[in-house]
RNA sequence: GCGCCCGUAGCUCAAUAGGAUAGAGCAACGGACUUCUAAUCCGUAGGUUGUGGGUUCGAUUCCCGCCGGGCGCGCCA
């Protein structure tokens, strides 16, 4: 497997190590050098071996250098620096011949086989259908979606799922709140129930309800009426949520309804399994799960004293269902307010006997929206929130997604709307997109001038004229490594960091060197080739984030 | 009180998950378009990585103690 440029070097290094130290099993790490004086890539194996062999790293490095050099003859020059770093200086020929894959693979360039076709499910957003999506949900949506795209690129078979909590007390409250709103519209003096939903959106839905269903329904028997209100509210809100997500370019493969877990007795089955394993017990009239066996602070209730199952019970059933569907791994993405829930969920998964690592849970921290220096907290319960829809209408999908994705989701995000709206260098999205548009423009200009361009693989003269060209090629070829890292660490923001760096190299190059040169068509063809490769990578990386790559700006 | 996340330039964040001299953007200052898109580039300035210990060839990164911020801690979701 030599799809990664680091892998090519690593394979040779490992081979050499087997010859010289057959008994040592060290894990070789090859990483890009930060400083060009340290070559292109470097490895630290000398340090690792030095410890075990009780020699100085420098000595070990010297031993290794010769044999590495032999192995890597065709690819690189090997040098030792500092206290024992082994640096690889790749040959121009190697870099340029590898660049050809970019043109061959096109939109597939960057794909790696980390996942080996294993099935992985990403479940995210899963907002209760009790109100519209707000900005905080947008961050979860962007993260989950980008993560799914990155994993797919890294060779996983990915399924995106939205879990709809359409059972339980919150939904009852929603129905009751809707009824209250209807009555208010008809002039009755009624209050929204305690703990109910006070957002204005329910007024719109109430209006719609009266229009479609008529007032007569208000006089139906209690039980029947409740179901109708609940269903109407949930369907209506879910429709809005789905529309918001569509607009945000987030599409789910499966919308899984909690009710199903009750209808097909999964909840019951799971309780039985846990009971048979002896992990449950009764106390104070409730049924408990011994989550403390797996490190939880205290045991948790499955069935309440009133006989109703907790959400925890149906969540366990849900994860059992995921397992039954045959995923090798599932990822849950939750809002920060749910982090206290992680230990018990993991405990439950262990109690069911599912393999360690089957369930991965990621927490997405809150977003602070800055608008005129006024920070606002997001919360569904307050009835005061900024809908995702509004933010998107204001700054656009590309900008919103990029801002959500450019940081580690585990950290708080400050989203300055005013800055995001500026079409200037303040805005990192445009910086990247501008690089893409500039390249597109170069090709148009070349055509306009009637320049006779040779395709890259047919070039007579393939060689670097300036250092910057070489740096660009190196960065382009590193893209598959970035995809692998982002997938392995579940961190799409690494794609953003990479894009900034890549775009920066291009802009810099563009300002420093002329690309279209009538006098030197060989040079022009070569540089346009680099631009084409750059453009492909920019486009591929942007598409991992679900962000467009415009031809003009 | 307990648990989780976070603390890096004035501001927002990186640092390839233990590597070499801690880097970008914004804000400040000074330069570059009669020539491929100036939404760009080049330069100057800006740091005791919250703090005190520890682990080792090496720590912004790992461990422990403090300090500060956020979020949780229900038979709510």
């Amino acid at each position: 497997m030599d799809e990664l440029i680091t892998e090519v070097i690593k394979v040779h290094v490992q081979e050499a190590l087997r010859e010289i130290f057959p008994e040592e099993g060290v894990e070789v790490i090859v990483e890009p050098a930060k400083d060009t004086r340290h070559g292109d890539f470097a490895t630290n194996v000398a340090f690792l071996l030095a410890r075990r062999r009780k020699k100085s790293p420098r000595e070990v490095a010297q031993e290794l250098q010769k044999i590495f050099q032999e192995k890597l003859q065709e690819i690189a020059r090997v040098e030792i620096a500092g206290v024992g770093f082994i640096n690889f200086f790749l040959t121009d020929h190697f870099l340029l011949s590898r660049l050809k894959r970019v043109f061959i693979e096109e939109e597939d360039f960057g794909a790696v086989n980390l996942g080996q076709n294993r099935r992985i499910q990403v479940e995210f957003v899963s907002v209760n259908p009790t109100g519209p999506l707000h900005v905080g949900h947008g961050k979860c949506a962007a993260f989950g979606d980008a993560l799914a795209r990155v994993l797919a690129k890294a060779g996983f078979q990915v399924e995106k799922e939205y879990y709809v909590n359409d059972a339980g007390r919150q939904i009852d409250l929603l129905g009751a709140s809707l009824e209250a709103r209807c009555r208010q519209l008809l002039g009755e003096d009624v209050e929204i129930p305690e703990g109910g939903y006070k957002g204005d959106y329910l007024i719109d839905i109430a209006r719609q309800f009266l229009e479609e269903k008529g007032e007569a329904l208000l006089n139906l028997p209690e039980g029947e009426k409740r179901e109708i209100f609940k269903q109407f509210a949930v369907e209506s809100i879910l429709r809005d949520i789905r529309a918001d997500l569509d607009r945000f370019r987030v599409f789910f493969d499966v919308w899984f309804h909690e009710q199903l877990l009750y209808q097909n007795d999964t909840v019951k089955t799971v309780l039985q399994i846990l009971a048979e394993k002896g992990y449950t017990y009764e106390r104070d009239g409730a049924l408990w799960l011994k989550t403390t066996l797996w490190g939880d602070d205290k045991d948790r209730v499955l069935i309440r004293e009133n006989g109703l199952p907790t959400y925890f019970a149906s969540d366990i059933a849900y994860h059992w269902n995921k397992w039954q569907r045959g995923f090798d791994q599932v990822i849950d993405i939750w809002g920060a307010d749910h982090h206290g829930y992680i230990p018990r969920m993991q405990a439950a998964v262990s109690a069911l006997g599912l393999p360690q690592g089957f369930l991965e849970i990621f927490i997405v921290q809150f977003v602070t929206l800055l608008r005129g220096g006024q920070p606002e907290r997001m919360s569904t319960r307050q009835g005061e929130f900024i809908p995702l829809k509004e933010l998107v209408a204001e700054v656009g999908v590309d900008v919103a997604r990029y801002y959500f994705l450019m940081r580690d989701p585990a950290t708080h995000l400050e989203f300055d709307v005013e800055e995001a709206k500026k079409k200037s260098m303040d805005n990192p999205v445009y910086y990247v997109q501008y690089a893409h548009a500039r390249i597109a423009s170069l090709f148009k200009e070349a055509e306009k001038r009637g320049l006779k361009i040779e395709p890259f693989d047919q070039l007579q003269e393939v060689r670097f004229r300036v250092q910057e060209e070489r740096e660009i090629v190196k960065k382009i070829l590193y893209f598959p490594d970035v995809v692998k890292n982002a997938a392995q660490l579940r961190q799409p923001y690494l794609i953003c960091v990479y894009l900034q760096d890549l775009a920066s190299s291009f802009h810099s190059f563009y300002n420093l060197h002329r690309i279209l040169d009538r006098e030197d068509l060989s040079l022009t063809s070569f540089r346009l080739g680099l631009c084409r490769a750059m453009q492909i990578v920019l486009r591929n990386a942007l598409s991992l984030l679900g962000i467009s790559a415009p031809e003009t700006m």
Side-chain angles (χ1 to χ4, degrees):
Chain A
M1 173 167 118
D2 71 347
E3 53 197 358
L4 305 179
I5 190 159
T6 53
E7 200 69 28
V8 180
I9 299 168
K10 206 158 131 180
V11 164
H12 287 87
V13 166
Q14 269 164 339
E15 214 172 280
L17 282 178
R18 266 198 299 277
E19 280 175 30
I20 192 166
F21 299 130
E23 72 282 8
E24 303 277 9
V26 287
E27 215 221 320
V28 178
I29 293 174
V30 173
E31 54 191 10
K34 281 180 192 156
D35 190 322
T36 52
R37 280 172 302 179
H38 299 141
D40 302 311
F41 290 88
T43 181
N44 63 345
V45 280
F47 294 103
L48 304 178
L49 285 169
R51 190 168 307 171
R52 303 193 192 184
R53 306 186 68 79
K54 307 229 180 335
K55 282 187 183 174
S56 80
R58 180 91 197 178
E59 276 178 282
V60 177
Q62 270 157 355
E63 271 181 78
L64 293 175
Q65 192 228 352
K66 265 182 235 146
I67 186 151
F68 283 1
Q69 182 62 76
E70 246 168 68
K71 289 280 174 203
L72 288 152
Q73 203 65 35
E74 308 284 308
I75 299 171
R77 193 176 79 244
V78 184
E79 286 187 5
I80 299 175
V83 283
F85 290 96
I86 301 173
N87 296 331
F88 304 100
F89 294 74
L90 300 177
T91 64
D92 290 354
H93 176 263
F94 174 67
L95 284 173
L96 287 167
S97 64
R98 250 190 109 78
L99 189 64
K100 287 178 187 148
R101 318 171 160 238
V102 181
F103 306 103
I104 295 164
E105 296 177 21
E106 284 260 17
E107 70 267 24
D108 288 332
F109 181 70
V112 294
N113 195 21
L114 178 72
Q116 298 176 314
N117 226 27
R118 282 193 303 260
R119 287 184 67 204
I120 192 163
Q121 184 213 49
V122 186
E123 182 226 317
F124 58 111
V125 185
S126 299
V127 174
N128 286 2
T130 53
L133 296 181
H134 61 64
V135 171
H137 301 137
K139 188 180 173 189
C140 291
F143 174 65
D145 184 56
L147 180 58
R149 290 171 193 250
V150 168
L151 289 171
K153 189 86 174 175
F156 289 92
Q157 220 179 305
V158 185
E159 226 171 81
K160 290 174 284 183
E161 181 154 313
Y162 187 117
Y163 180 54
V164 183
N165 283 110
D166 56 356
R169 211 171 72 88
Q170 293 304 317
I171 299 299
D172 292 342
L173 272 170
L174 178 73
S177 303
L178 177 61
E179 179 177 358
R181 283 301 192 195
C182 285
R183 293 189 181 279
Q184 286 174 352
L185 283 176
L186 295 169
E188 290 181 40
D189 184 22
V190 291
E191 293 280 311
I192 306 268
E194 182 67 33
Y197 293 88
K198 300 187 168 121
D200 289 344
Y201 56 91
L202 268 186
I203 301 178
D204 294 334
I205 295 173
R207 207 168 279 133
Q208 210 180 319
F209 182 91
L210 293 173
E211 214 169 278
E212 286 179 27
K213 304 271 185 187
E215 320 176 3
L217 286 175
L218 289 170
N219 301 318
L220 284 173
E222 197 55 42
E224 204 175 322
K225 192 174 63 181
R226 200 186 306 138
E227 279 309 308
I228 290 173
F229 275 111
K230 256 162 63 171
Q231 205 186 333
F232 191 89
V234 167
E235 276 174 14
S236 169
I237 291 172
L238 219 46
R239 210 159 33 235
D240 282 351
I241 287 175
R242 200 190 283 244
D244 284 357
L245 288 168
D246 280 357
R247 214 170 298 133
F248 203 50
R249 301 185 200 132
V250 174
F251 306 98
F252 287 91
D253 301 303
V254 176
W255 294 72
F256 191 98
H257 289 254
E258 184 187 4
Q259 285 205 336
L260 187 68
L261 297 169
Y262 289 99
Q263 285 160 9
N264 66 13
D265 284 337
T266 312
V267 177
K268 206 181 283 178
T269 307
V270 160
L271 291 176
Q272 208 175 331
I273 294 171
L274 293 172
E276 277 165 13
K277 288 174 180 267
Y279 296 144
T280 62
Y281 62 92
E282 284 190 42
R283 195 182 74 202
D284 305 331
L287 184 72
W288 298 70
L289 179 65
K290 296 180 189 169
T291 53
T292 46
L293 288 177
W294 295 273
D296 196 9
D297 295 341
K298 52 183 187 176
D299 292 341
R300 306 291 172 175
V301 171
L302 294 167
I303 307 281
R304 288 177 274 193
E305 201 179 352
N306 64 11
L308 295 175
T310 57
Y311 273 80
F312 183 44
S314 58
D315 282 343
I316 297 172
Y318 180 41
H319 286 84
W320 175 251
N321 173 283
K322 290 185 184 192
W323 169 251
Q324 296 289 74
R325 278 188 272 164
F327 294 109
D328 294 297
Q329 247 189 324
V330 299
I331 294 177
D332 286 10
I333 296 166
W334 296 350
D337 51 340
H338 284 65
H339 76 250
Y341 204 70
I342 296 175
R344 85 186 66 165
M345 198 64 241
Q346 289 291 8
V349 166
S350 300
L352 286 171
L354 307 189
Q356 191 79 27
F358 171 69
L359 171 63
E360 276 179 47
I361 302 173
F362 292 94
I363 289 302
V364 176
Q365 287 288 347
F366 291 115
V367 179
T368 307
L369 215 53
L370 295 176
R371 194 189 289 273
Q374 189 74 29
E376 289 165 287
R377 251 283 313 283
M378 303 300 127
S379 167
T380 347
R381 292 291 163 78
Q382 304 305 317
E384 47 168 72
F385 51 84
I386 298 177
L388 176 63
K389 203 189 307 184
E390 275 176 28
L391 180 74
V392 170
E394 205 168 341
V395 303
V397 178
D398 285 341
V399 171
R401 286 187 69 119
Y402 199 90
Y403 268 74
F404 287 139
L405 292 172
M406 64 196 283
R407 309 265 142 83
D408 180 346
T411 64
H412 299 250
L413 174 68
E414 301 226 349
F415 193 135
D416 192 321
V417 181
E418 298 307 319
E419 184 190 285
K421 275 161 74 178
K422 282 192 226 161
K423 296 197 169 182
S424 70
M425 56 177 135
D426 296 357
N427 198 317
V429 196
Y430 296 132
Y431 185 83
V432 174
Q433 290 182 321
Y434 188 51
H436 185 270
R438 260 185 161 174
I439 292 170
S441 160
L442 278 171
F443 284 106
K444 268 177 240 156
E445 185 63 24
E447 200 180 338
K448 203 170 104 191
R449 293 186 190 180
L451 297 179
K452 206 163 154 283
I453 308 302
E454 296 289 326
F456 194 83
D457 56 351
Q458 287 165 33
L459 279 181
Q460 296 292 313
E461 201 185 3
V462 182
R463 63 176 174 90
F464 295 120
R465 273 75 167 183
V466 295
Q467 183 61 27
E468 288 84 359
E469 294 164 337
R470 199 175 176 283
E471 285 305 304
I472 281 178
V473 169
K474 223 165 73 185
K475 281 179 185 171
I476 285 172
L477 294 178
Y478 193 59
F479 180 52
D481 273 280
V482 175
V483 172
K484 185 188 169 197
N485 289 338
Q488 208 156 30
L489 301 165
R490 321 303 198 206
Q491 287 291 18
Y493 88 89
L494 293 173
I495 306 288
C496 294
V497 173
Y498 173 72
L499 271 171
Q500 289 298 321
D501 185 46
L502 196 63
S504 165
S505 296
F506 174 73
H507 286 311
S508 196
F509 177 72
Y510 182 92
N511 276 276
L512 213 53
H513 304 289
R514 181 141 283 274
I515 291 157
L516 303 181
D517 186 343
R518 257 178 246 276
E519 309 301 316
D520 191 344
L521 282 178
S522 165
L523 173 89
T524 302
S525 296
F526 177 72
R527 288 192 171 160
L528 278 176
L530 299 192
C531 287
R532 178 67 80 199
M534 169 70 70
Q535 193 181 29
I536 289 168
V537 175
L538 286 171
R539 197 183 296 150
N540 291 0
L542 282 169
S543 99
L544 288 179
L545 306 174
I547 292 173
S548 68
E551 298 283 312
T552 58
M553 283 178 76

